Amino acid sequence: MTDNRTFTEAEQAYYDQLDEDVTAGRVQRVGSVHHRDGSAVSDDELDVILRGRPSLGHTRATGRGRSPRRQVRLPEHTNNALDAYAAAHSTTPSAVIRDAVEAYLASA
């Protein structure tokens, strides 16, 4: 990261633990560190990738604080298909579920 931002204690602890996990090989690789043209991903781009999807609440989409959390149970074959789809499309199961629910509700 190249900005001069000061981290809170919790943020610093998170990044310290992340660094330890990456170094120890405990973080699953989800993509390439190179662009399709072969150029390396910058530190800023990597920071955005590792940060993941932004909060959907508070000052984001809903304006109501942190993102609400829902849990669902899936049959094993559906869960396996979801994981395979997410991996094949370089995304996460959560992102696929969010997109599917939004599309379903928009068509209802």
Side-chain angles (χ1 to χ4, degrees), residues 55-106:
S55 168
L56 301 177
H58 193 49
T59 60
R60 305 284 190 214
T62 64
R64 293 187 308 231
R66 56 188 298 249
S67 302
R69 180 176 173 180
R70 299 286 177 139
Q71 292 180 314
V72 298
R73 294 186 182 273
L74 300 173
E76 189 172 347
H77 70 277
T78 303
N79 189 59
N80 292 340
L82 174 61
D83 288 340
Y85 180 91
H89 292 86
S90 300
T91 188
T92 64
S94 292
V96 173
I97 292 169
R98 275 190 296 272
D99 292 345
V101 169
E102 287 177 10
Y104 178 84
L105 293 175

Side-chain angles (χ1 to χ4, degrees), residues 1-2 32-35 39-50:
M1 207 163 117
T2 59
S32 174
V33 294
H34 292 88
H35 293 283
S39 62
V41 173
S42 73
D43 287 346
D44 288 336
E45 290 170 312
L46 187 58
D47 186 51
V48 169
I49 292 166
L50 291 175

